[in-house]
């Protein structure tokens, strides 16, 4: 469940055409920070979703 949630959130953020445009607009340093933020946010979303689903199943 968590991996699906993370994928749905990051899908628009990781399209190659969007990434190319962002790299031009943001520059290399800010673009790298953007990629790191997307990875961290998707990981946290997946973990949180898994915890919530596991908690609700335990009830």
């Amino acid at each position: 469940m968590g991996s699906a949630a993370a994928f749905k959130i990051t899908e628009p953020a990781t399209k190659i055409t969007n990434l190319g445009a962002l790299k031009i607009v943001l520059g290399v340093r800010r673009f790298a920070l953007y990629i790191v933020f997307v990875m961290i946010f998707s990981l946290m979303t997946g973990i949180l979703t898994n915890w919530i689903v596991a908690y609700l199943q335990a009830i």
Side-chain angles (χ1 to χ4, degrees):
M1 213 45 191
S3 60
F7 177 73
K8 291 305 282 182
I9 287 173
T10 59
E11 184 179 9
T14 56
K15 289 185 180 178
I16 194 69
T17 54
N18 294 352
L19 291 177
L22 280 173
K23 186 177 177 187
I24 292 169
V25 172
L26 295 177
V28 176
R29 184 176 178 194
R30 289 187 181 134
F31 177 72
L33 289 173
Y34 171 79
I35 294 296
V36 169
F37 175 77
V38 168
M39 288 189 303
I40 291 171
F41 184 72
S42 64
L43 178 66
M44 297 303 288
T45 301
I47 291 171
L48 182 64
T49 303
N50 280 338
W51 284 348
I52 291 171
V53 169
Y55 176 75
L56 292 176
Q57 287 178 347
I59 293 178

